[in-house]
Structure formats: structure tokens, C-alpha cells
Amino acid sequence: MLAKLLKHELKYMLKFLSIFYSLAIVFALLTRIFLSIENSFVFNIIGEICSGATIAMIANTIINNIVRYWVRFRQTMYGDESYLTHTLPITKGTLYSSKMLAGLITMLISVIVIAISVFIAYYSQANMEMLKTIFNTVGVALDVSVSTLIIVMALTLFLQYSCLLQNGFTGIILGHKMHGGKIGFSFLFGCIVYSLWQMLGLLSLFITGLFNKDILDMFTTNNIASIDGLKTIFTVICVYYALAVIINFILNIKLIKKGINVE
């Protein structure tokens, strides 16, 4: 049943997001075409406009991937579609899991489309060399390989997005337990939950700093942490967000199981 629910969620979301995917790639192609035309002021201006539109579509893809899924969650769990959703012979845990997994998969697809769009619009030997230089410089500074650096960055962003997505779900769940102003309360609770997780993350770094002078110095002085200190910070952040995702996932399922007030 989870596979069927996941397929249904992905079909709905990808149908919506495909609009932004298509526009991002189309504007990326136009950017490549017009900016490749030399000695033309008009085409250069058009190319810059298309470049701005490409960036705008990339931003819209990311924003809509998050916001639209919060809207989707509310519609299917508490809105008009909820009557059908809650008649299905499935557990609340399975229902929530399908939505969480679909949100993560669509973001992964969005990132791939964004990478393709950026490659189409801005690829050049000079840009690739500049990117390699940046990663090599940071990798040497942190004393890690470029592949390790990219994996850690990608993992950190993925965990942060997963946490943000679930914070929104938590806000919606709590907001719809209120008797009125449910959308407003959902937004308020979502902001509160997100802020609490961020403060807990900062607190976890501070607690780690009690056992690591380099990290503690970042709280008490203007000094930047050493290489070992920065590695520890990245490790703490990854572990913290991984635990936050797991804990938030369990809490949301427990909250849903306590009852849903359908509008």
C-alpha cells in the first residue's frame, strides 16, 4: 500500500512541478543560445534576461517543492480530499510515511533538474576550472578529499531540508488541532517548531564546545575554529539533523494517531 500511495503522491506533485522544470530548462537553453552569440548587444541583453529567468525558475522550483507539499499535506489530511484519504484501509504511519518520502524524492528530482539547467546555461571550461579550484581549495583547507566534501555538503543540505519539511508538517498538524484560525496557527506553530529545532542545534554545538575548546572559543571569542574544530562542527550538525529528522518523524506520527479534526 505504501508503494501505491507513494506513486499517487509523486504523480500529483511531479505534474505540478513539471511546469517549473520545463521553464527552467527552456530558459537555460535560451540563455545558452543568446549568450553564445558574440558581438550583439541586443542578443546579449536577451541572454541576460533569460539568465535571470532561469535563476528565477530554479528558485521557484525549490520554493514550490516545499510550500506546495505543505499545501498538499493539508488538503489530503484536513481539507476536501481528507474524507477519501481517511477511508483508506491504511495506518496513519503509512499515510504519513508516503507523504514524507514523496517530498524527499521530489526534492531530489528537483535538484537533478536544477543541476541540468545550470549546466546547460552556464557550462564552460573556465567555469568548471573555477568550480574545481573552489572545491580543491576548501578541501585542502579542511584536509579532506573533494568527494568527501561534496558528500558532506549534500548530506547536510538533505538533512536540513528533511527537517524543514517535517517542521512544516508538524505546524499543520498542531494548527489543525485548534478550533479556529487553523491556517494561521499552522504557520505560527511551524515557525515555532522550526525555531526550537534550530535553537536545540545551537545548544548541541555549545554542549559539544564544553568538551572542545576550539568550538567553545567560537561562542566566547571572535576566533574561528581550527580545522579539527570545523570537522567536529560538521559532524555534530549532520548527527544532530539526522536525529532531528528521526525524532520529528516519530512525533508527527504520534500526533496524527491522537486524532485528526477534518474540516
Side-chain angles (χ1 to χ4, degrees):
M1 183 58 78
L2 177 60
K4 291 182 179 179
L5 286 172
L6 188 57
K7 180 181 178 180
H8 178 71
E9 292 292 331
L10 290 174
K11 182 179 180 181
Y12 175 89
M13 282 298 295
L14 291 176
K15 182 179 180 181
F16 171 77
L17 290 172
S18 62
I19 299 172
F20 297 97
Y21 295 163
S22 301
L23 288 174
I25 292 176
V26 167
F27 280 118
L29 287 169
L30 292 175
T31 299
R32 165 65 63 179
I33 292 171
F34 286 114
L35 289 183
S36 64
I37 300 175
E38 299 180 355
N39 303 320
S40 175
F41 177 77
V42 173
F43 285 147
N44 185 66
I45 293 297
I46 295 175
E48 292 296 338
I49 293 173
C50 291
S51 176
T54 301
I55 295 172
M57 288 303 105
I58 288 173
N60 273 286
T61 296
I62 296 173
I63 293 171
N64 278 280
N65 203 128
I66 298 173
V67 176
R68 185 64 184 180
Y69 221 90
W70 287 336
V71 173
R72 172 70 175 167
F73 182 81
R74 179 182 177 277
Q75 287 177 339
T76 55
M77 296 296 286
Y78 301 96
D80 295 336
E81 298 180 38
S82 62
Y83 293 96
L84 175 61
T85 300
H86 297 304
T87 58
L88 297 174
I90 52 176
T91 64
K92 295 293 190 293
T94 301
L95 186 61
Y96 180 80
S97 297
S98 68
K99 297 184 180 302
M100 184 62 192
L101 286 173
L104 298 180
I105 292 172
T106 53
M107 178 52 75
L108 178 60
I109 294 172
S110 294
V111 169
I112 293 173
V113 173
I114 288 170
I116 292 172
S117 300
V118 171
F119 181 83
I120 292 172
Y122 305 111
Y123 171 79
S124 70
Q125 192 64 36
N127 287 339
M128 288 302 294
E129 288 299 325
M130 181 179 68
L131 192 61
K132 288 179 181 178
T133 300
I134 292 173
F135 277 109
N136 284 328
T137 301
V138 177
V140 170
L142 295 176
D143 192 26
V144 296
S145 65
V146 173
S147 58
T148 300
L149 177 63
I150 293 174
I151 291 172
V152 171
M153 290 175 61
L155 178 62
T156 302
L157 291 174
F158 175 78
L159 291 173
Q160 287 181 330
Y161 167 73
S162 302
C163 192
L164 175 63
L165 182 66
Q166 289 202 117
N167 292 164
F169 289 162
T170 306
I172 294 170
I173 295 170
L174 293 176
H176 283 77
K177 290 185 179 296
M178 308 302 289
H179 296 295
K182 296 180 179 181
I183 295 178
F185 277 114
S186 296
F187 177 78
L188 176 62
F189 287 136
C191 290
I192 292 173
V193 171
Y194 175 78
S195 298
L196 286 174
W197 279 115
Q198 300 311 303
M199 286 189 289
L200 284 173
L202 190 61
L203 179 61
S204 66
L205 274 179
F206 179 76
I207 293 174
T208 304
L210 297 177
F211 305 94
N212 187 311
K213 187 177 181 302
D214 285 337
I215 297 177
L216 185 62
D217 284 345
M218 293 183 65
F219 288 91
T220 58
T221 69
N222 292 322
N223 296 332
I224 299 176
S226 65
I227 300 303
D228 289 336
L230 289 174
K231 288 181 180 179
T232 302
I233 289 173
F234 278 116
T235 302
V236 171
I237 289 174
C238 286
V239 172
Y240 170 76
Y241 275 110
L243 290 174
V245 169
I246 295 172
I247 294 171
N248 209 165
F249 181 85
I250 295 172
L251 288 176
N252 282 353
I253 291 179
K254 287 185 176 295
L255 287 171
I256 290 175
K257 286 182 177 180
K258 287 184 177 181
I260 294 177
N261 297 323
V262 177
E263 294 181 352

